Amino acid sequence: MTSPLPSFSPASVLDLAPVVPVVVVEDAADAVPLARALVAGGLPAIEVTLRTPAALPAIRAIAAEVPDAVVGAGTVLSPAHVVDSVAAGARFLVSPGWTDALLAAMAASGVPFLPGVSTTSEVVALLERGVREMKFFPAQAAGGTAYLKSLAGPLPQARFCPTGGIGPDSAPQYLALPNVGCVGGSWMLPADAVAARDWGRVERLAREAAGLRP
């Protein structure tokens, strides 16, 4: 049995679970059973990416019907995305990158947010603006664990959720780093399992992912 999470937005997405599932919803009808399977497996923070027309309805359904889930919006690219996502019930926001306009909109949203970075200069720019929690994307392509390890010395105040190319074999290496709070990934949502609506398999894979922190 899962423990109810608070209804307010979390202070930090990075501390909810070792893995944040990155979800692309093609059919909004799948959103609630999919979210229930992830939560039952121990992954309450769920990032629904704004890559399909079903994304906002999916966020709305999860927020209304899965109280133990902390649903967020990913691939947030504009101030309009911020407004629409929060109106749908998103409790955190994730972007692959950031601009000043997007950052201002996310900061004004009232919910936690993880702006995306892939360079040291972007990290420093966010720290200068008072942002200490970030998405590192695309993690594997941008330098992986070696890059993040190098950042920990000069920029220990920055914490990251690496996403992009991470799987169950590499996730523990990221999670062992002092500046990584969690990782994002979609390996617990294989396409064939979602297509078959095999939520039991999704729950099993989620449970394995929830136990990956070293």
Side-chain angles (χ1 to χ4, degrees):
M1 178 179 293
T2 57
S3 300
L5 291 166
S7 59
F8 52 83
S9 293
S12 173
V13 180
L14 301 186
D15 297 325
L16 287 172
V19 179
V20 175
V22 179
V23 182
V24 179
V25 179
E26 300 290 348
D27 184 346
D30 291 336
V32 167
L34 183 153
R36 286 175 175 157
L38 292 172
V39 171
L43 300 180
I46 301 170
E47 176 188 335
V48 177
T49 63
L50 302 182
R51 300 181 192 177
T52 69
L56 288 174
I59 291 171
R60 193 173 295 113
I62 294 170
E65 300 182 45
V66 192
D68 288 359
V70 180
V71 64
T75 320
V76 174
L77 301 176
S78 68
H81 276 172
V82 172
V83 172
D84 291 344
S85 298
V86 174
R91 291 165 60 188
F92 64 91
L93 305 169
V94 184
S95 67
W98 62 277
T99 64
D100 284 329
L102 178 56
L103 192 68
M106 291 194 293
S109 69
V111 301
F113 57 94
L114 298 173
V117 298
S118 61
T119 69
T120 306
S121 293
E122 290 171 317
V123 176
V124 171
L126 285 178
L127 291 173
E128 187 178 76
R129 290 161 171 79
V131 179
R132 296 190 173 192
E133 297 189 344
M134 313 164 195
K135 171 179 177 172
F136 180 58
F137 175 84
Q140 290 288 89
T145 55
Y147 194 97
L148 287 172
K149 190 179 298 183
S150 297
L151 291 181
L155 303 171
Q157 65 271 52
R159 296 181 71 214
F160 301 95
C161 173
T163 305
I166 298 174
D169 293 332
S170 58
Q173 300 164 34
Y174 282 94
L175 293 168
L177 298 176
N179 56 350
V180 170
C182 63
V183 301
S186 57
W187 70 85
M188 72 297 300
L189 297 161
D192 58 340
V194 175
R197 294 178 169 82
D198 186 352
W199 309 126
R201 181 180 171 199
V202 170
E203 180 180 339
R204 289 193 298 274
L205 291 171
R207 185 169 292 109
E208 292 172 4
L212 285 177
R213 190 182 297 280

